[in-house]
Amino acid sequence: MRTRNLFGVTGAVAAVLVLIAVAMPAVPLGHGTHDGKVNHSAHFFVPSAEQTGAIVAQQALAPVRGSEFRADCFSSHRKGDDPIVFPGQAGVSHIHEFYGNRTANAGSTLESLSAGTTNCDPVVDLSSYWTPTLYKNGQPIAPDRVTVYYQGITQMGNAIAPPRGLRYVIGNAGATNPDQNPYARWSCLGAPESSRDFLTCPPGSKLQTYLDFPTCWDGVRLDSPNHRDHMAFALGQTCPAGYPKVVPRVELLITYPVNGGGLTLAGTRDGALVTNAPGYTFHGDFFNAWNQNELQRRVSTCINGGYICGTDGEPIQQ
């Protein structure tokens, strides 16, 4: 059975209170270049106090009555591309590790991803998922595996299949301290503790990270100018006003074959592309290119029906 690494109930409540106290208003976003420097502001984002509380509270939630299906994926390639934040601008981004669709690059569209192939099981998931590349002592590290969970944690009976082409980003790549990025969550395989910055995992263990995406959609836009405003985190079981459609939570569980120290991330600091960004700058992107019929079947059977399903979308547990 999968063990969820959390702060613990007391720690989560305390974190919510601290974060709400220090959270800043949402930062305006954009993308492109300025004075020869890369502007990654679409990934530089401190959530509002309300959404900070919702993010932290959501991290403690397991799927309701099961209500889950998954895709098992692997690192496909790494590139200095970001098809959402820098579409059509090859090499402009810091280095990302791409999972799933083998064709993902700066020029990716729904059409190109749909014509591609994937290393995910099931092969009907042609989506692309990406996060900053992890480095250990300056060397890039590919994950052992990436498990992509789709979970019914918000109004599971009302959840709908995300539309093809839906894309969004989470995380704060520009965080200057752990409190500015409540999305990030690092842990060690088999241990209950987690942190917004890297943990020094003991010999014989492995580094893991969880990344949870929001569950409320405005029901109209497949993207928005800052790649976030069309999505929101639920406040308990209630989606905020303006976000009437519930979708499954996408959760990335990434396991890396490393332990100990010397860990950094690809990132952007003061407009420069770096490989020594701290763990609390972790962030992620999702570009949905599932076969819609298969995705709808899984949402109906597993999410709405309240079953834990395998990669084939068939129930294995209720």
Side-chain angles (χ1 to χ4, degrees):
M1 179 177 293
R2 180 163 55 106
T3 300
R4 298 179 61 80
N5 296 289
L6 305 170
F7 289 109
V9 175
T10 302
V13 173
V16 172
L17 295 176
V18 171
L19 284 166
I20 289 177
V22 302
M24 299 164 57
V27 176
L29 305 176
H31 61 262
T33 59
H34 179 69
D35 294 336
K37 291 186 175 183
V38 178
N39 177 5
H40 270 78
S41 58
H43 269 306
F44 288 19
F45 188 91
V46 181
S48 68
E50 183 178 55
Q51 282 286 284
T52 293
I55 292 164
V56 174
Q58 178 176 300
Q59 290 171 355
L61 296 178
V64 180
R65 288 181 51 217
S67 195
E68 173 182 284
F69 62 93
R70 73 177 194 274
D72 291 335
C73 307
F74 299 90
S75 176
S76 173
H77 55 285
R78 63 179 64 102
K79 279 180 173 290
D81 290 359
D82 190 322
I84 296 178
V85 178
F86 296 109
Q89 301 180 64
V92 170
S93 175
H94 55 247
I95 302 299
H96 285 107
E97 205 80 15
F98 286 84
Y99 317 117
N101 198 301
R102 296 184 177 96
T103 69
N105 59 41
S108 288
T109 62
L110 176 59
E111 291 72 23
S112 69
L113 293 175
S114 299
T117 61
T118 183
N119 63 22
C120 289
D121 173 16
V123 296
V124 290
D125 181 9
L126 290 170
S127 303
S128 184
Y129 313 88
W130 60 97
T131 62
T133 295
L134 176 76
Y135 291 81
K136 182 174 175 66
N137 298 324
Q139 297 300 310
I141 303 295
D144 276 346
R145 71 168 49 241
V146 179
T147 304
V148 184
Y149 292 100
Y150 288 77
Q151 301 170 327
I153 66 165
T154 305
Q155 301 177 29
M156 71 178 196
N158 295 330
I160 64 171
R164 283 170 52 79
L166 182 67
R167 50 202 180 271
Y168 45 102
V169 306
I170 62 167
N172 182 8
T176 57
N177 62 70
D179 286 341
Q180 291 184 348
N181 192 13
Y183 311 87
R185 195 156 39 119
W186 297 94
S187 60
C188 301
L189 180 64
E193 299 81 15
S194 68
S195 171
R196 294 198 177 92
D197 204 354
F198 293 123
L199 291 173
T200 302
C201 297
S205 183
K206 293 183 178 182
L207 180 72
Q208 290 189 313
T209 185
Y210 286 87
L211 197 58
D212 297 333
F213 289 73
T215 59
C216 302
W217 173 45
D218 70 8
V220 178
R221 295 176 292 177
L222 298 179
D223 198 0
S224 52
N226 64 8
H227 317 297
R228 300 171 186 260
D229 282 351
H230 57 306
M231 304 295 298
F233 285 84
L235 308 173
Q237 287 292 304
T238 303
C239 283
Y243 299 88
K245 300 297 184 180
V246 176
V247 295
R249 174 174 70 181
V250 175
E251 179 182 77
L252 304 185
L253 171 56
I254 307 173
T255 303
Y256 298 93
V258 297
N259 51 56
L263 303 172
T264 60
L265 293 172
T268 308
R269 296 325 235 183
D270 297 323
L273 304 180
V274 301
T275 59
N276 63 352
Y280 53 75
T281 64
F282 199 65
H283 54 281
D285 303 58
F286 167 50
F287 196 136
N288 178 32
W290 273 83
N291 174 289
Q292 192 66 19
N293 289 337
E294 281 296 315
L295 182 58
Q296 181 60 61
R297 181 178 70 83
R298 285 164 167 79
V299 170
S300 297
T301 300
C302 312
I303 303 298
N304 302 146
Y307 286 91
I308 291 179
C309 295
T311 57
D312 61 358
E314 295 297 333
I316 56 178
Q317 181 183 341
Q318 185 172 23

